[in-house]
Amino acid sequence: MQTQMNISPVKKEGSLFFYKFIKNKMALAGFAILGVILVCSLFAPFLTSYDPTRTNIGQQFQAPSALHWFGTDEVGRDIFSRVLYGSRLSLGIGITVVVSAGTIGTFLGTISGYLGGKVDQVIMRIMDMVLAFPTLILAMALAAALGPNLLNAMIAIAIVKIPVYVRLARGETLALREKLFVQAAVTFGIPSWRIIARHIVPNAISPVVIQVTLDIGDAILMVATLGFLGLGAQPPTPEWGAMISIGWKYLLDYWWYPTFPGLALFLASGALNLIGDGIRDILDPKSSR
């Protein structure tokens, strides 16, 4: 009896989450697809012997074969190796951008919701200004203003993603600050920063985590879109969007050039959306069936 009572609630919640996750077939499918992509990206040097940026004019536009599984591009680079190394870049950028936006947005949202008053007004009016523009259009404008390179594209996407997390965190904070345990902490004179860090953020983080998992796929697509428009990764960087940007011109004659990077982009974004939907169903009681 004593042993049963000492079982950690965290372990129980973790086991329950794992059980629900493995029962969600769509989430498992997404996790399997993403796992294959991650393994291939990590072991890219062992899966291909070709340098993704090395040119070989004598091998240009070679069709898929045993020598070049995905064929070659206009300057003889192996497309299979470029897709593998590009997965590192695209996935890494998508995760970095969304986690950065989620962290900054959660911080601003909890501060805004808890303090209220002028602080809340200033933060939310700035967020409303950002939300007034279509997300992709604003990201394109910011990337163009900052300069066409990968870092500026990441900054632009992070900026347009922040308001979503600010609103989520603020809404949760407004509800939490009226709870009895928060009011008790205020009564005991605990500093505001400590109340936010110890009581508000841990209880407001669930919807933010759900949104992060759903937004990673969208961020990868936005990075690819900016790369397609010439505002993201610049040649010869092996990034999926940049590859598609050049490859679509040769689609009718050399179908493999844009097809394989596009397929990798489709699978990665689809897998992340499936995982995000599964986590949302588990963590959000309102969306559970």
Side-chain angles (χ1 to χ4, degrees):
M1 184 70 177
Q2 184 70 24
T3 304
Q4 292 180 352
M5 292 179 64
N6 289 334
I7 296 176
S8 172
V10 175
K11 291 183 178 180
K12 287 184 178 180
E13 292 179 3
S15 300
L16 182 60
F17 176 88
F18 179 76
Y19 174 77
K20 289 182 178 180
F21 187 83
I22 62 176
K23 295 290 287 184
N24 191 314
K25 295 181 180 179
M26 298 302 290
L28 275 180
F31 186 78
I33 295 171
L34 184 62
V36 171
I37 295 174
L38 288 174
V39 169
C40 289
S41 67
L42 290 174
F43 292 94
F46 302 98
L47 296 175
T48 178
S49 59
Y50 293 101
D51 186 334
T53 60
R54 185 176 180 179
T55 61
N56 186 354
I57 300 301
Q59 295 290 323
Q60 62 180 345
F61 292 128
Q62 295 291 311
S65 63
L67 187 61
H68 300 285
W69 292 359
F70 290 177
T72 62
D73 61 13
E74 79 280 9
V75 291
R77 293 173 300 204
D78 183 69
I79 294 177
F80 178 67
S81 65
R82 289 179 63 77
V83 170
L84 286 182
Y85 282 93
S87 63
R88 293 180 174 185
L89 197 61
S90 295
L91 291 174
I93 290 171
I95 294 172
T96 301
V97 165
V98 173
V99 170
S100 299
T103 302
I104 296 171
T106 301
F107 172 76
L108 293 176
T110 51
I111 293 293
S112 175
Y114 185 78
L115 298 181
K118 293 183 179 180
V119 174
D120 183 37
Q121 290 293 322
V122 170
I123 293 176
M124 294 313 299
R125 294 300 75 77
I126 294 174
M127 296 302 110
D128 289 342
M129 290 171 59
V130 177
L131 289 171
F133 298 91
T135 303
L136 183 57
I137 301 298
L138 182 57
M140 290 167 53
L142 290 173
L146 294 171
N149 63 58
L150 196 53
L151 178 60
N152 291 338
M154 293 173 63
I155 294 172
I157 297 171
I159 289 173
V160 301
K161 289 287 184 184
I162 287 174
V164 176
Y165 297 100
V166 172
R167 289 197 166 202
L168 273 176
R170 178 179 180 270
E172 291 294 315
T173 303
L174 289 174
L176 287 169
R177 73 177 186 180
E178 303 301 327
K179 298 292 185 179
L180 185 59
F181 64 92
V182 175
Q183 294 296 322
V186 174
T187 302
F188 282 111
I190 298 175
S192 296
W193 66 268
R194 191 170 181 181
I195 294 175
I196 293 173
R198 295 289 299 273
H199 300 291
I200 300 296
V201 172
N203 288 283
I205 203 69
S206 291
V208 175
V209 171
I210 295 169
Q211 190 63 38
V212 164
T213 56
L214 291 171
D215 271 354
I216 293 175
D218 184 55
I220 292 174
L221 288 174
M222 290 185 70
V223 170
T225 302
L226 293 180
F228 180 83
L229 296 172
L231 298 172
Q234 302 299 306
T237 305
E239 194 272 324
W240 291 340
M243 294 170 65
I244 297 170
S245 174
I246 300 173
W248 75 270
K249 303 173 185 176
Y250 305 101
L251 177 61
L252 296 180
D253 296 318
Y254 311 106
W255 60 268
W256 58 87
Y257 192 170
T259 299
F260 289 113
L263 182 61
L265 179 61
F266 169 76
L267 290 174
S269 60
L272 286 163
N273 282 328
L274 289 175
I275 294 172
D277 286 340
I279 294 177
R280 179 189 61 191
D281 291 342
I282 294 170
L283 296 181
D284 188 1
K286 295 180 181 179
S287 64
S288 299
R289 287 174 292 183

